[in-house]
Amino acid sequence: MESKRVVITGLGTINPLGDSVEETWKNLCEKKSGIKKIEGFDPEIPSRIAGQVVGFNSGDYFHRKEARKMDLYCQYALASAIKAMADADLKKIDPHKLGVITGTGIGGMQTYETQLQKFISKGPRRISPFFIPMMISNIAAGRIGIQFNAKGINFNVTSACSSSANAIGEAFRAIKFGAADAVIACGAEASVTPFTLSGFSVMRALSTRNDSPETASRPFDKNRDGFVLSEGAATLILEGLEHAKNRGAHIYAEIAGYGATCDAFHITMPSPNGEGGAQAMKNALISAKIQPEEVQYINAHGTSTPLNDKSETSAIKIAFGDHAYKLKVNSSKSMLGHMLGAAGAIESLIVIKSINEQKIHPSVNITTPDPDCDLDYNPDATIDLEIEHAITNSFGFGGHNASLVFKKYE
């Protein structure tokens, strides 16, 4: 079967740094942090900071009556998909060739918490009849399909913090091998809740730098103490090249490769030598039919946890050999925080923007470099960079690893 080239023709996002692609990019380049003290509830745990979406109004995107039947994660997903589809201006397409693949690590956690409290305090008859369809992790894919009459391939990927990177990778394959002409690929998460924070807190996974939220997420810094939980959504419209050209679509970039592996090592810890992450990157390079020396930039998973940052650094060295020291690497989580299952989608969007602008944003908060993390993480400022190929990494609990190769469209 002849495989197709796949391009990106639409982008949309809602996140703690902004409700548009341009606002998000501008804030990243100006080293502005979306991490603040938690608003709306008292987390009652050592970590009291997060990346929260501010000013989101569901009524700007859909009727409030419908919004009441959606968990916040689903509202973010659908709103970002509406933005991306408007950006792509994709109005005429065979509905059976338009797919939707979403990625979320947890799904409707806010609904779960609310309804569980109601069940305990008031009994089973008082929980909402919409409890299940609001909570299940595939419902955003279903909602987006209804919104755009997308009758093609439609499912959700849950692979922890790799979820939306896997979703984009599977969307790439669906188009590449003819199952769809276009796919709405979305990552969404809204897990800044007391219950979720408590779960990560007892694992000691979260930063407790509460007095200085904007410096709490410090990937690759020696004094990093954990990640900062964040929320939001990002959507990419993937389209077959010929389909996009025939309708005169604007093309942001090409997605050229995808690799996915498992550490098969531990339920939460990454493999210390980075073997699994390295193989995901190698597989992505093979898929893109390029050599390691053809990559200029990696947007790292870069969570700011002691184990992950060392493991990812090792993985990059294994995958790229001596070229690892010539690569520019950064972590968007240093300012965005960690959007869990949505991280792969927002970081893919940032990579595409980096290719378009031929610039990369800095990794902020590296004030004391970790000697075990010795690559060029671009700690100081936004810099110009000639980017032909770039990789984004997403690694998740369970040992899931996903890497995507994006390419300048020519």
Side-chain angles (χ1 to χ4, degrees):
M1 178 186 295
E2 183 180 356
S3 63
K4 298 178 181 178
R5 292 174 66 185
V6 182
V7 295
I8 311 299
T9 57
L11 301 171
T13 185
I14 292 164
N15 64 73
L17 282 174
D19 67 353
S20 71
V21 176
E22 293 305 321
E23 186 180 8
T24 303
W25 176 251
K26 180 175 183 291
N27 285 333
L28 284 167
C29 291
E30 293 179 356
K31 303 171 71 170
K32 294 181 179 176
S33 176
I35 310 303
K36 296 179 173 59
K37 289 188 177 180
I38 291 173
E39 297 181 0
F41 63 91
D42 182 352
E44 299 185 280
I45 59 170
S47 179
R48 310 175 78 82
I49 53 178
Q52 292 178 288
V53 173
V54 177
F56 175 71
N57 180 12
S58 61
D60 292 342
Y61 305 96
F62 28 80
H63 198 281
R64 292 184 186 280
K65 186 176 179 181
E66 284 302 303
R68 286 196 291 272
K69 300 175 185 175
M70 290 185 234
D71 187 273
L72 187 59
Y73 108 90
C74 188
Q75 294 183 27
Y76 289 160
L78 185 53
S80 76
I82 289 171
K83 287 171 177 282
M85 282 294 277
D87 185 42
D89 196 25
L90 181 53
K91 296 173 182 171
K92 293 184 179 179
I93 184 170
D94 178 352
H96 297 283
K97 299 293 280 185
L98 176 61
V100 181
I101 304 180
T102 60
T104 183
I106 297 181
M109 179 56 91
Q110 303 214 0
T111 298
Y112 176 78
E113 287 191 35
T114 302
Q115 296 302 314
L116 180 62
Q117 289 171 359
K118 192 176 292 186
F119 175 80
I120 292 171
S121 64
K122 298 183 179 179
R125 295 182 182 276
R126 299 299 297 274
I127 64 172
S128 168
F130 296 104
F131 167 43
I132 298 299
M134 287 175 69
M135 181 199 70
I136 53 178
S137 61
N138 64 306
I139 200 63
R143 282 278 186 180
I144 294 169
I146 293 166
Q147 179 76 26
F148 297 106
N149 194 34
K151 298 182 177 179
I153 188 170
N154 189 306
F155 61 91
N156 178 73
V157 178
T158 293
S159 52
C161 304
S162 300
S163 297
S164 56
N166 283 127
I168 293 168
E170 296 306 316
F172 164 68
R173 286 177 174 170
I175 297 169
K176 187 176 181 65
F177 298 112
D181 288 334
V183 177
I184 302 166
C186 173
E189 208 77 81
S191 298
V192 182
T193 71
F195 204 34
T196 311
L197 282 158
S198 298
F200 283 120
S201 178
V202 296
M203 295 174 66
R204 299 182 180 178
L206 300 176
S207 171
T208 57
R209 204 178 289 264
N210 299 318
D211 294 335
S212 181
E214 67 278 4
T215 68
S217 184
R218 17 193 345 113
F220 309 109
D221 184 83
K222 184 178 180 180
N223 297 317
R224 63 192 182 277
D225 68 337
F227 74 85
V228 178
L229 191 62
S230 187
E231 65 180 8
T235 298
L236 281 59
I237 307 302
L238 278 62
E239 196 168 345
L241 175 59
E242 292 306 314
H243 191 275
K245 287 170 66 175
N246 287 341
R247 70 181 187 87
H250 171 71
I251 294 173
Y252 285 98
E254 181 171 354
I255 176 168
Y258 167 48
T261 64
C262 181
D263 284 353
F265 173 73
H266 189 271
I267 57 171
T268 57
M269 290 192 295
S271 174
N273 63 13
E275 179 185 6
Q279 192 61 49
M281 285 183 270
K282 288 180 180 179
N283 291 350
L285 294 174
I286 292 168
S287 171
K289 299 178 180 177
I290 60 172
Q291 298 300 311
E293 294 76 15
E294 295 179 77
V295 175
Q296 295 80 34
Y297 162 53
I298 295 177
N299 187 295
H301 187 53
T303 56
S304 183
T305 60
L307 293 177
N308 175 82
D309 293 355
K310 287 173 63 175
S311 174
E312 186 169 16
T313 298
S314 296
I316 293 170
K317 291 178 185 177
I318 294 171
F320 288 89
D322 292 341
H323 186 63
Y325 291 95
K326 298 177 182 176
L327 288 164
K328 293 290 185 184
V329 182
N330 67 3
S331 171
S332 302
K333 293 184 181 74
S334 63
M335 290 172 272
L336 267 170
H338 192 350
M339 290 163 59
L340 302 181
I346 184 64
E347 289 160 15
S348 293
L349 184 152
I350 291 165
V351 166
I352 292 164
K353 192 64 181 170
S354 300
I355 291 172
N356 283 189
E357 299 292 331
Q358 297 286 285
K359 296 177 185 292
I360 63 167
H361 70 73
S363 304
V364 301
N365 302 325
I366 302 179
T367 55
T368 308
D370 182 342
D372 290 330
C373 300
D374 58 351
L375 301 179
D376 183 353
Y377 306 105
N378 191 42
D380 297 323
T382 298
I383 60 169
D384 294 333
L385 182 68
E386 291 187 12
I387 308 171
E388 184 73 20
H389 295 96
I391 284 181
T392 181
N393 287 331
S394 292
F395 306 146
F397 285 175
H400 308 299
N401 307 296
S403 297
L404 298 164
V405 177
F406 290 94
K407 178 183 179 182
K408 182 180 178 182
Y409 174 68
E410 294 177 326

